[in-house]
């Protein structure tokens, strides 16, 4: 694992090591004593991912460099690659990048000599979200084999769905997709089940927001979504006693999920966000060590 661009970059052992580190960060404070800088280059909107990276960096005592694309030299015609190379030249030790292009990493990684973490690539990949989703499930059930996990919603346009489906399959869970047929991937090999079956089958049911911003053509919008495809109060009552509800956020309350269920006993929505900090601390530490930017002598227990 040199960079973290997609789930493909991680072996199962890498994933389990990240879970162990995240678990360690939940119970003890580790800091990096060497001065390091992390550049958080978010060219697309973010609340959770960006903020949890900043918190993860600060907890590790890495200095977080902020970047506002609307106030940057992007406005003067600077390219994505030149922006990234600028941060590397100025002194960043690790880069976190989110961009609307699916394949931005292919044009960036060959030219950069510090670790890069994908904070979201178009509709293609969101590996750190998939790690925190899988970690949340692992905390709950302690295993993946034999679990039925349903991801329901706009699969085709969701980078979270693509990465989470991939990681959960890699970890051995039984995966299903649900939602409007028009929002399913044409090439997806995951079995489709209607939402009324999904609620009865799922051990973990992950709802997704409709990705309106990635619907290039009209005609993909779905009317009466909540009643037809969403997690209504009535459907929640059909779920197994032990089943959990997940959502990567942001949530459109009353569309993919009834608003009251976001705070329900089954909901792990806020746990996912909290786990995002520990998972991102673990990824930062693992990559900085892998690149030899830090070693054990630069890590101190507080
Ligand atoms: N889940 C997620 O990526 O949220 P943000 O867009 O707020 O970062």
């Amino acid at each position: 694992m040199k960079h973290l661009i997609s789930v493909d970059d991680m072996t199962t052992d890498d994933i389990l090591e990240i879970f162990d580190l995240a678990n360690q960060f939940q119970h003890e404070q580790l800091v990096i004593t060497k001065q390091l800088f992390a550049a958080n280059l978010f060219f697309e909107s973010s609340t959770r991912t960006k903020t949890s990276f900043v918190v993860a960096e600060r907890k590790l005592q890495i200095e977080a460099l902020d970047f506002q694309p609307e106030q940057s030299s992007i406005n003067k015609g600077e390219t994505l690659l030149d922006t990234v190379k600028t941060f590397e030249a100025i002194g960043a030790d690790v880069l976190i990048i989110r961009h609307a292009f699916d394949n931005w990493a292919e044009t960036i990684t060959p030219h950069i000599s510090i670790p890069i973490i994908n904070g979201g690539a178009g509709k293609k990949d969101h590996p750190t979200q998939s790690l925190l989703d899988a970690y949340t499930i692992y905390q709950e059930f302690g295993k993946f084999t034999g679990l039925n996990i349903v991801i329901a919603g706009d699969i085709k346009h969701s980078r979270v769905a693509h990465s989470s489906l991939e990681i959960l399959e890699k970890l051995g869970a039984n995966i299903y997709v649900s939602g409007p047929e028009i929002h399913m991937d044409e090439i997806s090999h995951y079995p489709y089940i209607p939402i009324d079956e999904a609620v009865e089958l799922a051990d973990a049911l992950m709802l997704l927001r409709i990705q309106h911003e990635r619907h290039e053509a009209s005609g993909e919008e779905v009317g009466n979504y909540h009643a037809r495809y969403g997690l209504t109060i009535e459907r929640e009552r059909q779920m197994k006693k032990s089943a959990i509800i997940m959502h990567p956020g942001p949530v459109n309350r009353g569309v993919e999920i009834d608003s009251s269920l976001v705070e329900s006993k089954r909901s792990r929505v806020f746990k996912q966000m909290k786990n995002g900090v520990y998972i991102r601390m673990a990824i930062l530490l693992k990559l900085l060590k892998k690149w030899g930017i830090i070693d054990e002598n630069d890590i101190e227990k507080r």
Side-chain angles (χ1 to χ4, degrees):
M1 181 176 157
K2 194 172 171 207
H3 302 289
L4 179 53
I5 304 301
S6 79
V7 169
D8 282 343
D9 294 321
M10 297 179 285
T11 62
T12 304
D13 284 347
D14 286 327
I15 297 166
L16 296 176
E17 189 193 327
I18 290 168
F19 290 177
D20 279 348
L21 266 172
N23 187 46
Q24 193 181 346
F25 283 127
Q26 262 180 284
H27 299 106
E28 60 186 24
Q29 196 189 353
L30 297 182
V31 298
I32 298 171
T33 52
K34 197 172 173 178
Q35 185 180 47
L36 295 180
F37 297 96
N40 300 302
L41 307 181
F42 281 68
F43 295 85
E44 261 196 335
S45 306
S46 171
T47 298
R48 278 146 291 271
T49 311
K50 184 172 177 183
T51 311
S52 58
F53 263 113
V54 171
V55 172
E57 288 152 11
R58 292 195 178 151
K59 276 178 175 273
L60 288 169
Q61 294 196 355
I62 300 170
E63 299 191 37
L65 303 176
D66 197 19
F67 170 74
Q68 307 290 342
E70 63 282 1
Q71 289 164 19
S72 76
S73 290
I74 291 276
N75 295 330
K76 301 174 198 164
E78 191 159 62
T79 63
L80 170 63
L81 178 59
D82 280 330
T83 303
V84 172
K85 283 170 74 91
T86 300
F87 272 89
E88 183 185 23
I90 287 172
D93 297 285
V94 55
L95 301 163
I96 296 89
I97 303 176
R98 170 176 287 192
H99 199 285
F101 292 150
D102 283 7
N103 297 314
W104 60 257
E106 288 171 22
T107 55
I108 302 294
T109 51
H111 305 284
I112 298 295
S113 304
I114 53 175
I116 300 176
I117 302 170
N118 179 359
K123 56 186 182 308
K124 193 164 172 241
D125 296 300
H126 196 349
T128 68
Q129 178 72 43
S130 74
L131 278 162
L132 75 89
D133 291 341
Y135 180 60
T136 305
I137 292 168
Y138 192 60
Q139 271 184 335
E140 193 72 34
F141 299 101
K143 62 172 188 175
F144 292 96
T145 310
L147 286 183
N148 295 326
I149 301 174
V150 182
I151 302 190
D154 185 0
I155 307 289
K156 184 158 71 174
H157 302 98
S158 168
R159 56 188 169 218
V160 175
H162 294 136
S163 290
S164 289
L165 287 164
E166 204 181 331
I167 201 168
L168 292 166
E169 183 176 49
K170 195 172 210 163
L171 291 167
N174 306 322
I175 315 293
Y176 302 84
V177 292
S178 186
E181 302 233 15
I182 198 169
H183 291 165
M184 296 299 115
D185 269 328
E186 292 87 355
I187 52 159
S188 171
H189 61 279
Y190 302 101
Y192 174 88
I193 50 172
I195 189 68
D196 288 305
E197 282 178 39
V199 290
E200 291 180 7
L201 180 79
D203 295 299
L205 174 62
M206 189 191 300
L207 288 316
L208 300 174
R209 176 180 69 87
I210 309 168
Q211 315 279 307
H212 295 288
E213 70 277 25
R214 298 197 191 103
H215 290 193
E216 283 138 26
S218 57
E220 296 204 344
E221 297 300 322
V222 176
N224 206 11
Y225 189 98
H226 187 60
R228 292 169 70 194
Y229 304 104
L231 185 60
T232 59
I233 301 271
E234 295 70 31
R235 289 192 177 114
E236 185 273 338
R237 291 196 184 118
Q238 305 308 312
M239 292 179 74
K240 293 179 197 171
K241 206 168 167 225
S242 59
I244 59 170
I245 298 169
M246 300 175 71
H247 195 306
V251 175
N252 286 158
R253 290 174 184 252
V255 182
E256 65 271 17
I257 182 169
D258 184 275
S259 182
S260 67
L261 297 176
V262 178
E263 283 83 16
S264 67
K265 227 174 135 190
R266 290 186 192 281
S267 170
R268 298 295 179 270
V269 174
F270 298 100
K271 183 91 177 284
Q272 286 171 268
M273 294 177 202
K274 193 171 178 178
N275 283 340
V277 174
Y278 302 122
I279 284 290
R280 289 169 176 130
M281 289 173 80
I283 296 163
L284 284 163
L285 197 80
K286 183 170 162 64
L287 283 180
L288 289 167
K289 276 167 86 173
K290 171 85 185 171
W291 281 68
I293 296 168
I294 57 167
D295 61 30
E296 290 302 331
N297 297 324
D298 300 312
I299 301 166
E300 196 175 285
K301 218 180 255 191
R302 289 278 159 89

